[in-house]
Amino acid sequence: MDEGAAGAAGEVGAALAAHPEVDVAAAITGPSNLMAGVTCRDTQGLYRYLTERVAPLEGVREVETSPVIRTVKRVGTVLP
């Protein structure tokens, strides 16, 4: 990742983290720089979120979605 991409990833990550739809936002390794888990009411809500909130962010070049169709286990720690 070049310095410009790293800066954009930080700015986009911070913007995503501020969205109420985002449950988790993280910097990752591999072909992508960021991942975010979001909760939307339905597929139309997801479409609106992606096209109206994510796509316009400066530094977003592409978006890949993988909707969850069934959760088999979810674990988390409750923070104070």
Side-chain angles (χ1 to χ4, degrees):
M1 176 185 331
D2 64 34
E3 189 174 320
E11 292 171 11
V12 172
L16 290 173
H19 292 176
E21 299 89 347
V22 174
D23 302 316
V24 60
I28 61 172
T29 62
S32 300
N33 297 327
L34 297 170
M35 67 77 58
V38 302
T39 300
C40 297
R41 182 171 303 280
D42 52 27
T43 54
Q44 292 168 334
L46 175 61
Y47 178 80
R48 275 191 308 277
Y49 175 70
L50 293 173
T51 58
E52 296 173 10
R53 308 275 317 272
V54 177
L57 293 174
E58 182 89 25
V60 172
R61 292 190 303 202
E62 65 182 77
V63 175
E64 180 177 327
T65 61
S66 299
V68 174
I69 56 172
R70 183 170 80 109
T71 300
V72 294
K73 182 177 182 177
R74 176 171 285 180
V75 179
T77 303
V78 178
L79 300 175

